[in-house]
Structures are given as C-alpha cells and as structure tokens.
Amino acid sequence: TFKVADGDDTIVDYSQADGDVVDISNVFASGDQFSVEANLDGSVKLSVLDGSGPTAKGSVSFDNIDFADLDGGDPLNDLLTNLVDIDTDGDGSGDI
C-alpha cells in the first residue's frame, strides 16, 4: 500500500497485478473529485481536487504508467477502472 499525503507524491513501481493499493484517505473527503493529466515526462498524474474549489489537495504520479496508454476518450475512468486501485477510506483495500 502506498500512502499519499498532502502535496505531490510519486510512485515509481506501482503494480496492480502485485496487489498494490494507493491510500489517499489522508487527502480525500466526500465530495472531492479526481483529475488526471500527463506530467512533462509523459507519466500519469492523478490529483485529488477539493469539491468546493476545485483546487488540488494532493496528487500522486505513477512513473511506470504512460498517459498516452490511457483511453483518450476517458483517461480518468480508464486509470481508475483498469490500472490502479484507490483506497479512499484507509482500510487497505481498493474502493474505486
């Protein structure tokens, strides 16, 4: 399990197949939103946005996932559905 804190974090070797989970419970609250974008090197950056803002509360970059490999029609859904497991409540298992 990778724990995300306030600010920008980077995971260099995320593997859903190995059972990795990204715990964002420290920065995620009900009503918050997600956004996905490409970093300058082409890797994926997932941000948690304050639902009332929306301003970024924290983010995690995945060095081994290329943004270009995501479904261009809905890259956020592709990332959250097919490539990473996100834990929003801190129980250690993927909620999204």
Side-chain angles (χ1 to χ4, degrees):
T1 299
F2 298 96
K3 285 197 169 276
V4 175
D6 293 339
D8 302 311
D9 293 305
T10 300
I11 299 172
V12 297
D13 60 350
Y14 180 85
S15 173
Q16 188 179 44
D18 289 345
D20 289 344
V21 175
V22 180
D23 181 345
I24 62 166
S25 61
N26 290 334
V27 295
F28 183 81
S30 180
D32 287 348
Q33 303 170 10
F34 295 105
S35 73
V36 65
E37 62 186 300
N39 285 311
L40 292 176
D41 66 359
S43 64
V44 168
K45 178 179 179 180
L46 177 68
S47 298
V48 178
L49 306 176
D50 185 328
S52 64
T55 56
K57 296 169 61 176
S59 70
V60 59
S61 293
F62 299 89
D63 279 359
N64 61 334
I65 301 175
D66 291 326
F67 186 84
D69 292 337
L70 299 178
D71 178 349
D74 193 351
L76 178 61
N77 186 56
D78 189 25
L79 180 70
L80 297 179
T81 303
N82 301 314
L83 299 174
V84 298
D85 290 320
I86 303 292
D87 176 12
T88 59
D89 59 14
D91 68 357
S93 63
D95 304 313
I96 298 176

